[in-house]
Amino acid sequence: MSDEPIVRDSNGAQLQDGDSVTLIKDLKVKGTSETIKRGTLVKNVRLNGRDGEVECNTKQVKGLVLKTEFVKKA
């Protein structure tokens, strides 16, 4: 058993490194003029050790941190 926190998406499904997730809400990205649309598929998320957050890259934004309350496992 590892010390990593269990990270769950908005539906309660457990997320692992490398999973793909789909956004369930349009999200404005702080520091940019970009908005990532609902339904966007984000591949290969990384767990960052913080509960309720995952790191990922999208076509528009690199090094993005998403709150898990706005994603569901694809």
Side-chain angles (χ1 to χ4, degrees), residues 24-67:
I24 61 170
K25 180 180 177 181
D26 288 355
L27 298 175
K28 292 184 71 72
V29 181
K30 285 186 179 180
T32 70
S33 60
E34 294 290 332
T35 300
I36 302 175
K37 298 291 184 188
R38 176 178 175 244
T40 301
L41 179 66
V42 180
K43 297 179 181 178
N44 199 21
V45 298
R46 296 175 304 282
L47 304 182
N48 60 9
R50 283 178 259 155
D51 195 26
E53 292 182 357
V54 293
E55 294 179 358
C56 61
N57 292 325
T58 64
K59 291 179 183 173
Q60 300 96 333
V61 182
K62 305 295 183 217
L64 185 64
V65 176
L66 293 174
K67 292 202 172 275

Side-chain angles (χ1 to χ4, degrees), residues 4 7 11 17-18 21 25 30-33 67 69 72:
E4 289 289 315
V7 179
N11 294 332
D17 277 339
V21 295
K25 180 180 177 181
K30 285 186 179 180
T32 70
S33 60
K67 292 202 172 275
E69 64 192 81
K72 67 178 180 179

